């Protein structure tokens, strides 16, 4: 059924520990096979590991807790532009377009989770904590993906007049 509208925004409840909607949505994105408690455990363990690392850190401009690091990481990874393939006159062009807020968030979530899942050999909570810390600093695989997307859009700026 094409064009069916879901009630996901209205049905989404904040996560039980931090009372945060963005975190609840992220947990839902981590979830495999409907195992929400497992996804919550992974995320909360990752936040705990981030808190421990922050406690050991001596930097004066450090965030106050793991949830703040999570929000900084998501904001850093959000892309502003992306390229979409458009067929014009028999040729395909990579046309740069601006990304709306919802898609920015979903791309950021997807890239962070993919980067964490790409590493193997350690528990998911550790990999996720590492990726979130690196993304908050402006480094890591998720940030690399975002930079690559921005570079593609910049390289194809000549075709921006094809955007709607």
């Amino acid at each position: 059924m094409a064009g069916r509208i879901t009630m996901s925004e209205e049905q989404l409840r904040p996560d039980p520990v931090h009372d945060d909607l963005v975190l609840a949505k992220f947990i839902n994105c981590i979830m495999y096979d409907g195992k929400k408690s497992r996804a919550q455990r992974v995320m909360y363990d990752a936040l705990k590991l981030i808190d421990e690392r922050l406690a050991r850190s001596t930097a004066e401009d450090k965030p106050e807790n793991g949830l703040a690091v999570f929000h900084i990481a998501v904001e850093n990874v959000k892309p502003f532009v992306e390229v979409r393939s458009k067929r014009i006159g028999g040729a395909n062009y990579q046309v740069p377009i601006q990304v709306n807020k919802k898609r920015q968030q979903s791309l950021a979530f997807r890239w962070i989770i993919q980067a964490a899942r790409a590493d193997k050999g350690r528990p998911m909570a550790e990999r996720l904590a590492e990726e979130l810390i690196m993304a908050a600093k402006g480094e890591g695989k998720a940030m690399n993906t975002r930079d690559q997307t921005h570079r593609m859009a910049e390289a194809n700026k000549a075709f921006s007049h094809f955007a709607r």
Side-chain angles (χ1 to χ4, degrees), residues 3 5 12 14 16 27 32-33 35 40 42-43 51-52 81 87 98 100 116 127 133 139 143 147 155-156 161 163:
I5 299 171
L12 184 66
I27 288 170
Y32 263 140
D33 294 333
K35 298 184 187 243
Q40 285 175 330
V42 165
M43 188 63 210
D51 284 334
E52 289 170 8
V81 289
R87 188 172 180 84
Q98 284 191 330
N100 67 25
R127 294 178 281 163
I133 289 169
E139 305 165 357
M143 281 299 293
D147 293 341
N156 290 298
H161 64 283

Side-chain angles (χ1 to χ4, degrees), residues 45-57 66 133:
D45 287 351
L47 290 175
K48 211 174 289 177
L49 288 169
I50 293 171
D51 284 334
E52 289 170 8
R53 191 162 314 171
L54 285 174
R56 285 182 280 165
S57 175
I133 289 169

Side-chain angles (χ1 to χ4, degrees), residues 69-90:
V69 170
F70 167 73
H71 283 292
I72 292 167
V74 169
E75 282 301 314
N76 284 351
V77 175
K78 283 182 180 177
F80 303 113
V81 289
E82 67 177 343
V83 291
R84 287 267 172 95
S85 188
K86 214 167 202 166
R87 188 172 180 84
I88 296 160

Side-chain angles (χ1 to χ4, degrees), residues 29 46 66 73 82 124 153:
C29 291
E82 67 177 343
M124 179 62 180

